Amino acid sequence: MIDDTKYAYYCPKCHLGSFKTMGEHFCSRCGKPLLDLKMRREDYEALAENEKNLKIREAEKQAREVRKETIRKMIVTTTPAVEGHIVKEYLGPVFGEVSEGISVFREFNMGFTGMTGGRSASFEECVINARNDALNEMKQRALDLGANAVIGVKVDYESFGQYLLVNASGTAVVLE
Ligand SMILES: [Zn+2]
C-alpha cells in the first residue's frame, strides 16, 4: 500500500507552508529546499498559531545549524584535486569578497609610536578575519550550488583607497 500521509513543510524564503508526502521537497515558487516540520498534517493543523510559529522557528534554527556544520566540514583546498577523491561534478567558479575599512587600523594606530607588536598583531588580526569571512562566503555559495568541496582556492588582497579588499575564489565541485 502506498503511504500518502501528508506532512507539514515550510519554505523559509517565501514563508509559505505546504503539505506533502514524506521525502525531500523543493519550493514551487523559489526552488529552495523545503524545511521538514516533522509533523503530520492533522497534528500541525491542530496547533494554535503561536505553536505553529514556534515549530517553524525550531525547524529554521535546526536547518541553520545543519548548514553551519556542513560548511565547517566542507573540504577547501588550494590544490586542483583532493587525494583519495574523484571529482564527480564541476559546478563552476565561486567567489567570496569582503572589504575592510583601513581607516579603522589608522585610528587604532594613533595611540602608538612607531611599530609595536600590538599594532601589527591588530592589523594581522583584521586581515585574518577578512580572509576567513571571504572564505566563508565562498563556501556558502558553493553549498548553495550543491557542492561538497571547493578546489583550487586562491585568496587575493587588494587595497582601494581606504579599503582592503579580500577576494577568495575557487571551483565548486561534488566529490565522490
Ligand atoms: Zn520558496
Side-chain angles (χ1 to χ4, degrees):
M1 212 183 88
I2 298 163
D3 180 16
D4 60 355
T5 312
K6 295 282 203 288
Y7 293 85
Y9 287 86
Y10 183 79
C11 175
K13 198 183 167 207
C14 305
H15 305 290
L16 273 176
S18 50
F19 300 105
K20 294 174 185 302
T21 52
M22 194 177 272
E24 205 184 344
H25 297 287
F26 297 90
C27 178
S28 54
R29 265 202 199 176
C30 70
K32 281 219 167 218
L34 294 180
L35 293 179
D36 183 355
L37 300 185
K38 296 185 174 75
M39 280 192 92
R40 291 157 74 110
R41 178 180 191 152
E42 51 272 33
D43 296 336
Y44 181 77
E45 283 178 331
L47 294 176
E49 270 322 295
N50 63 328
E51 288 173 323
K52 284 180 185 168
N53 288 335
L54 198 70
K55 276 278 160 202
I56 291 167
R57 277 206 301 275
E58 267 173 29
E60 281 177 329
K61 193 180 162 212
Q62 211 170 36
R64 271 199 303 273
E65 269 157 26
V66 168
R67 190 179 162 88
K68 230 168 102 182
E69 189 59 13
T70 309
I71 283 174
R72 199 182 65 77
K73 284 185 182 160
M74 190 180 261
I75 295 175
V76 172
T77 175
T78 54
T79 57
V82 181
E83 220 181 302
H85 291 273
I86 294 165
V87 174
K88 207 166 71 178
E89 212 180 327
Y90 285 90
L91 301 171
V94 277
F95 303 92
E97 301 94 1
V98 166
S99 63
E100 195 86 50
I102 292 173
S103 57
V104 175
F105 313 131
R106 292 220 175 113
E107 275 165 40
F108 184 83
N109 292 345
M110 288 203 292
F112 292 86
T113 48
M115 280 289 282
T116 69
R119 171 188 160 171
S120 57
S122 161
F123 181 78
E124 242 172 65
E125 215 170 273
C126 286
V127 173
I128 290 167
N129 285 343
R131 184 177 61 210
N132 286 341
D133 288 349
L135 285 169
N136 204 42
E137 208 177 285
M138 182 195 74
K139 282 156 84 177
Q140 307 255 11
R141 290 187 180 147
L143 185 65
D144 288 339
L145 291 177
N148 61 7
V150 186
I151 58 172
V153 172
K154 211 173 86 190
V155 181
D156 291 314
Y157 304 87
E158 267 181 273
S159 66
F160 281 108
Q162 298 280 87
Y163 288 92
L164 170 72
L165 200 73
V166 181
N167 178 46
S169 63
T171 303
V173 295
V174 179
L175 293 181
E176 218 163 52

